Amino acid sequence: MAHAENEVVINRSAADVYAYLADGLNDTHWRQGVKSIALKSGTPGEKGAVYSQTLSGPGGRDIPGDFEITEAVPGRELRFQVTAGPARPAGVFTLTAEEKGTRVRFSLDLAPKGLMRLAGPMINRTLRSEVAQLDRLKTELEGNARA
């Protein structure tokens, strides 16, 4: 099982951070590699919402990365499962209110199957790179009035 996690404290309320994360359309503002995203079905931020996204893959080629929100607890937790593409990790954002903002923990887990197990080091590197983008989320939310 490949696993990566990261956390930051964002100087915004848990409700604000959750609302921003729960709307997958915001991903293009803070996640490098997301070329396009659209709500495919459901209600943004609610369990069952499905997003269709195109990611920049190896060599710059487009790869699908559709995901579904599998659990939504406003202000506290947002879980998702990638449902399309070569890698299909499960992820969770856990939010904890603190005196000076919100602690956000982002973790990703992937159980590679078949030949994908041979790509273990590349998978771990990709997962670490993805969770490291919390720093970009922090910058976006602390410096952007629209968030």
Side-chain angles (χ1 to χ4, degrees), residues 1 18 22-23 26 31 46 53 60-61 66 69 71 79 83 90-91 95 97 101 107 121 125-126 130-131 141 143 145:
M1 169 87 66
Y18 180 87
D23 184 355
N26 290 320
R31 288 182 52 223
E46 292 187 8
Q53 69 177 344
R61 72 178 179 19
D66 301 2
I69 295 177
E71 193 66 39
R79 292 181 178 270
T83 59
L95 285 61
S107 65
R125 193 169 40 253
T126 300
E130 190 67 29
V131 300
L141 285 173

Side-chain angles (χ1 to χ4, degrees), residues 23-108:
D23 184 355
L25 298 179
N26 290 320
D27 285 7
T28 58
H29 300 293
W30 70 277
R31 288 182 52 223
Q32 287 183 319
V34 177
K35 294 174 92 174
S36 67
I37 189 163
L39 180 65
K40 192 172 178 180
S41 64
T43 302
E46 292 187 8
K47 183 176 179 178
V50 176
Y51 289 87
S52 173
Q53 69 177 344
T54 302
L55 305 171
S56 180
R61 72 178 179 19
D62 290 353
I63 58 172
D66 301 2
F67 66 93
E68 177 178 356
I69 295 177
T70 57
E71 193 66 39
V73 182
R76 294 186 47 222
E77 184 177 87
L78 188 66
R79 292 181 178 270
F80 64 91
Q81 176 67 54
V82 176
T83 59
R88 299 183 183 191
V92 61
F93 292 98
T94 305
L95 285 61
T96 307
E98 294 194 351
E99 185 177 322
K100 294 187 178 186
T102 303
R103 181 169 302 278
V104 180
R105 177 174 293 187
F106 180 22
S107 65
L108 287 170

Side-chain angles (χ1 to χ4, degrees), residues 8-22 73-77 94-104 137-138 140-144 147:
V8 296
V9 175
I10 298 175
N11 188 20
R12 295 288 292 264
S13 72
D16 286 349
V17 175
Y18 180 87
Y20 191 83
L21 287 171
V73 182
R76 294 186 47 222
E77 184 177 87
T94 305
L95 285 61
T96 307
E98 294 194 351
E99 185 177 322
K100 294 187 178 186
T102 303
R103 181 169 302 278
V104 180
L137 175 68
K138 176 180 174 68
E140 175 71 13
L141 285 173
E142 290 180 353
N144 192 338

